[in-house]
Each structure stands twice: as C-alpha cells, then as structure tokens.
Amino acid sequence: MTENLRDLDAWRSLPIKQQPSYPDAAAVADVTAELASLPPLIFAGEADTLKARLARAAAGEAFLLQGGDCAETFSGATGDKIRNRVKTVLQMAVVLQYGASMPVVKMGRMAGQFAKPRSKDTETRGEVTLPAFRGEIVNGFDFTQASRTADPSRLLRAYHTSASTLNLIRAFTQGGFADLREVHSWNKGFAENPANRRYEGLATEIDRAIKFMESAGADFDELQRVEFFTGHEGLLMDYEHPLTRVDSRTGDVYNTSGHFLWIGERTRDLDGAHIEYFRHIKNPIGVKLGPTTDPETALKLIDILDPDREPGRLTFITRMGAGKIREALPPLLEAVKASGAQPLWVTDPMHGNGITTANGYKSRRFDDVVDEVRGFFEAHRQVGTFPGGLHVELTGDDVTECLGGSERIDEAALESRYESLCDPRLNHKQSLELSFLVAEELEKL
Ligand code: PEP
Ligand code: CO
C-alpha cells in the first residue's frame, strides 16, 4: 500500500506541462491538504463497473457516448443547466441505442471538467498581457490582473461544484428520471425543430414497444436506474493528486475525482508527468490522439498505460480533423490491431475542426463535425476495427456557438448566444441531429 502511494509521487520529478504558476505556494499546500481530507466523489467499484462496460465497447458489443461542456463553469452548475445536459445525453443515447441495437454507455464531460490546456501561457489584448484563462478551477475569465491570477481556493470550489453536480446527476439517473419509459419527457421544454420531431417519432416507437412488452408480462422496473458515469481531462495535478486514494478493498490506487479521466493531446508526452501519474491509477483512462500521432507512439502508450492489456482500461480518443482523419487514422488502427491490443476507439470530432470566424468567434462547422464522424466510421470499416464511441462538446441549451445544422446558424448568429468560455459546443438540436447521423452509421455496421 505504501509502495503504491510512493509510486504515485514519481510524476513530481518529471517535466510537466499546462500547470498554472500560483503566487503563494503555502496557500496551495493548505488547499491540497484540505482536498486530500475531503470525501471521494466516486467509488473504486463504480470505476471498475465502467471499465467492464468499456471492455464491452472495445469488443464491439457496446457504444460509448461522452458529452458535456468544453469547460464547466461555477455559474453553469445550476439545476436547469445540469438537467438539460443530462437530458441531451440521454436523448442522444436512446437514438444511438435504437440505431445500433446495442447498449450505450453514458458519460458526462461533467462534474470535474474545469481545467483547460492552453496553446499560450499568456493572452494579449492591445497593450496588456495577462496570464491565459485556464478554466475556473485555476483563474477567472475576466481580463484583469486580479481575475487572471491563479487562485488555489478555486480548487476547493471546483471540488464542491463537482460534488453538487454529481449529486444531481445521481438523483436524476437513480430516481426514475432517466427511466426509458420517460423517453418522451426528455424532449419536453426544448424548442420545436426537425430533430426534435424525428426524436418524438422514435420515442413513440420505443414507448409502444415497452407497452407491448409490459402487456406481455415483462417487468421493466430495472429501467428505473440508469448508469451514468462522469469523466474529465486529468490535467491539473494539484486537483487530481489529492483526490487519489487507496481502495480499502484491494489496496489499489484510484483517482476519485471522476470515473474516467483522459490525458489531453498536449500533455501526453511519453516521458512526462501526466503519463507517469496515469500509469498508477486503476480507473479506466483515455488518451487523446491528434493527427500527427505516429503508430509507434500509439503502441508505446499502450505498453506504458495498459501493460497487462486489461479489457476496458484504455480508450483512444482520436481528434484528427475532418480533412485528415481518412489518412491519419487507418495507420494507427492497423498498427494497434497488428499488435493484438484492443483499446476502445472513440471519435472526438470537435477538437480537430476549430476555426476562427471573420467576426472573431472560435467556432466549428457542424458539417466538418459530421464529416469527421463519417471518416472515423470509414477508417474502421476499412481496417476491420470497431468504432466504439463518440466524444462531443455539447450543452442542452440553445446556444449559437457551432455553425450550421438544420437551424443553419451563420456567423452573424454567433453573436446572439455565444456562452462558452472555451471551445464552441453543439447546442441541443445539433447534438440530437448528430446522434441520428451516428445512429445511421451504426446501423451500417
Ligand atoms: C478538450 O477535450 O477540451 C481538449 C482540450 O482536447 P484536446 O486535448 O484533444 O485538445
Ligand atoms: Co474543448
């Protein structure tokens, strides 16, 4: 046990990227000590259950849906907004499940998705240069010296916000709200549009099937409780390390800040601190792979992070860009397949498709997102591997952040409701539309 914990500090001696510099080291030490004394947010047994579910997806018997904000915010952790995000994920999952006729593992980019990697450490506006915004767990979005200074008390606020978010997720998904018999009610409160209408049609079919089975004596009380997992980028070590605990049942080490953690494209250096830390936690983990990833790197990541080839342990989340995925992905799939390893392959069709519009917004075109998803399915069909999941930035609200979709959001429309503090999210309609398109791809498998 002590051995495990000692290993867990080895990352400290390695090069580390994307961490803030706090002006007051003593204050950071106080906060991390307090975090270390607070209760875990998730249990080891739940992480094990998720690993078993992901193992099925890696084997081609289930599909993973991960969705939520690019960057959660403290003010965004309201009952309404959390409910809308959970409903959106549930709706998408039901569309996918219906198309694929296989279980869909549901996971929010929620209850911990606060820290952001940035391409530059500073931001300059006019004559003024300040530290970059790194997510509300680190500093504030306002462009002032006071707000941009890294403040360790935000680590605690992120923890408590995650706890209350998770509490509501658990209430929604354990208390009957996520019951498949509620399939119609998840659509209520969202504005009428073609995607919603298509969803209504599907919900009616599902309802009818359930009623038919009930009339034949089937007992659906099992449907009352729905598994819904949480995941976030494991980026900020002053948060992740104190929430890492030894499981009293087994002596194994788990990160208890979320069920699933992934390493971002910018912090996955083979010799870096993040990889070293992730080696020692037993949770199911992910690694983002961008378009420049070479096959050797993918194979090394497998050897380092999943030496025992444990089913469900490792997920590769590819984010190549619509224009690159058809060339960049097949060689990775081939090499990994030839090695005999079976990670779960998930597409993130968001992060390779960023653009800046003429009127200055960070955006993404819905068509590019769809094209990357199609490229992902094509690549897997070509190589004979299983396209096992979808990872998207979304919100249940009617924001205007991504261009296109059936509402044909254009550049001017971005000005009306752009709320993300970081990357643009699919709104509720775009999310539903995407799920119908992915369902069609799944039907072809
Ligand atoms: C993200 O998921 O928000 C992110 C920063 O992704 P990536 O590491 O793929 O750039
Ligand atoms: Co993002």
Side-chain angles (χ1 to χ4, degrees), residues 339-397:
S339 80
Q342 199 178 58
L344 169 59
W345 292 99
V346 169
T347 177
D348 164 359
M350 314 295 293
H351 287 90
N353 294 310
I355 55 166
T356 303
T357 61
N359 52 352
Y361 287 92
K362 241 175 132 177
S363 190
R364 291 160 174 154
R365 292 192 185 89
F366 184 74
D367 287 351
D368 291 341
V369 170
V370 170
D371 191 30
E372 175 147 4
V373 168
R374 293 221 161 97
F376 175 75
F377 277 89
E378 279 167 38
H380 282 279
R381 269 199 298 272
Q382 185 186 322
V383 179
T385 40
F386 183 65
L390 174 70
H391 178 120
V392 276
E393 290 183 341
L394 60 78
T395 169
D397 303 329

Side-chain angles (χ1 to χ4, degrees), residues 91 94-95 98 180-187 196-211 436:
Q91 287 189 292
V94 99
V95 170
Y98 201 76
L180 207 48
R181 289 168 292 188
E182 295 293 317
V183 65
H184 272 294
S185 71
W186 306 333
N187 208 23
N196 280 33
R197 276 195 292 280
R198 191 166 170 194
Y199 176 87
E200 274 300 315
L202 185 142
T204 302
E205 280 179 48
I206 291 171
D207 236 12
R208 205 179 288 143
I210 290 176
K211 294 220 172 76
F436 279 111

Side-chain angles (χ1 to χ4, degrees), residues 70 109 116-117 233 262 264-266 288 319 351 393:
C70 177
R109 266 179 79 110
K116 298 311 301 173
E233 178 173 351
W262 72 86
E265 165 75 354
R266 280 166 266 208
K288 292 278 201 98
R319 30 90 82 222
H351 287 90
E393 290 183 341

